Amino acid sequence: MFLLFMLSFSSFALAEKFLSIGLPQEGYAPFIIVSDNKPRGILIEPLQLAAEKLGLSLKYVYMPEKRSVDMLNRYQIDARMESALWVSNPGDYLWSEAITQLEDVLVYHKDAWPGFDPDKKLAGAHIITHLGYSYPDLQPLFDQGILYRQDFSTEYDMLSTLVRLVEGVNRTAVMNKQVAMWLIKSSPKLQNRFEFSQRIVGSAPLQFQFAKTERLVGIIKDINVELKKLKASGSVQAIADRVLQ
């Protein structure tokens, strides 16, 4: 009986030190970079450092976004990437400290005229957007026909279509700046072609969304203490600078 008790206690202790994290199959570079099943990136590495400090083991499970949402709601995984601003019921979950701030800007060809910084002649512009994404600050202008929306399936496609200037059409993409920087760095086709607006079109914290369970309450509290230390020390910014070099 004593041996069974000790085995049960040991299994419970291991479970308490274990977190399963749902990640997008293709990653979300530079925040989640998937390489040989060893994820890294601006979002992942601070969590890994915090978990290591606390003696937590992280298990990554790769899946489509919709499936990760469903599995989190069914308590089949502990966490996934998200922003509390993108969820209609944030109080139903536990949240990590915001690890980084997502800022959407206008990305445009350096030879585009008259340009888009900060608001030069936006009227009539064609805005390259991501299929399925919403843009609250721009939507009224789309609805009024002041701006024209053109959807593409990936951020790479969004930038690729801007490589070629179209005479008489003023075009710009609305995109997270760090995602754009990563893609431009990674593709010779895109290098030395683009500028970023100072205007911020949208902003949201990027963090981990956790299932709201009794087991996780204390763990998330401890993780957030460590994440705040990493941010205050400059470690999170150093990770971002290294990844984007």
Side-chain angles (χ1 to χ4, degrees):
M1 289 293 292
F2 177 75
L3 179 61
L4 287 174
F5 172 79
M6 290 303 295
L7 288 172
S8 298
F9 179 81
S10 177
S11 297
F12 178 77
L14 287 173
E16 286 294 296
K17 293 292 186 178
F18 175 87
L19 290 176
S20 56
I21 313 293
L23 297 182
Q25 291 172 309
E26 68 285 358
Y28 184 48
F31 305 105
I32 299 175
I33 303 167
V34 176
S35 177
D36 299 325
N37 286 326
K38 295 179 181 178
R40 60 186 182 90
I42 298 170
L43 186 71
I44 288 289
E45 293 178 46
L47 179 68
Q48 291 172 336
L49 290 174
E52 182 179 349
K53 189 69 177 287
L54 297 170
L56 286 167
S57 175
L58 302 179
K59 178 182 178 181
Y60 302 108
V61 187
Y62 298 92
M63 64 189 72
E65 181 181 3
K66 289 184 179 179
R67 185 180 171 204
S68 73
V69 173
D70 183 62
M71 289 186 69
L72 186 72
N73 288 334
R74 293 173 182 268
Y75 307 106
Q76 293 173 336
I77 58 173
D78 293 317
R80 59 184 296 276
M81 173 186 73
E82 190 55 276
S83 173
L85 287 184
W86 298 340
V87 176
S88 60
N89 53 337
D92 291 347
Y93 303 94
L94 300 173
W95 296 92
S96 78
E97 176 79 5
I99 295 174
T100 188
Q101 193 74 13
L102 294 176
E103 292 186 345
D104 285 346
V105 298
L106 298 176
V107 187
Y108 52 93
H109 196 289
K110 63 182 182 180
D111 295 328
W113 186 89
F116 296 91
D117 197 14
D119 277 323
K120 296 177 183 175
K121 200 178 178 182
L122 267 178
H126 289 232
I127 309 297
I128 307 301
T129 50
H130 196 296
L131 182 66
Y133 284 18
S134 61
Y135 304 91
D137 289 351
L138 296 177
Q139 192 58 49
L141 301 177
F142 293 142
D143 293 340
Q144 297 169 45
I146 295 172
L147 300 178
Y148 302 95
R149 176 172 179 163
Q150 289 183 273
D151 283 340
F152 287 81
S153 298
T154 69
E155 284 89 349
Y156 179 80
D157 291 339
M158 292 167 66
L159 290 177
S160 294
T161 193
L162 290 176
V163 168
R164 182 177 61 88
L165 291 170
V166 178
E167 186 176 354
V169 180
N170 214 11
R171 300 190 303 161
T172 183
V174 56
M175 188 182 303
N176 174 262
K177 186 174 182 178
Q178 290 169 304
V179 170
M181 290 172 65
W182 173 266
L183 290 170
I184 291 168
K185 180 191 78 166
S186 304
S187 175
K189 171 185 175 181
L190 302 177
Q191 290 171 9
N192 302 314
R193 294 182 180 270
F194 297 104
E195 294 185 8
F196 302 103
S197 71
Q198 295 180 17
R199 169 193 173 118
I200 296 174
V201 179
S203 180
L206 189 61
Q207 54 205 130
F208 283 97
Q209 176 189 24
F210 288 86
K212 196 171 188 178
T213 66
E214 185 176 348
R215 178 180 80 87
L216 291 176
V217 170
I219 293 176
I220 307 313
K221 182 179 179 180
D222 291 341
I223 285 175
N224 283 338
V225 168
E226 295 303 322
L227 289 176
K228 287 177 182 178
K229 290 179 183 177
L230 289 168
K231 290 170 68 176
S233 70
S235 297
V236 173
Q237 185 59 52
I239 290 169
D241 292 343
R242 171 174 51 78
V243 169
L244 291 169
Q245 279 181 353

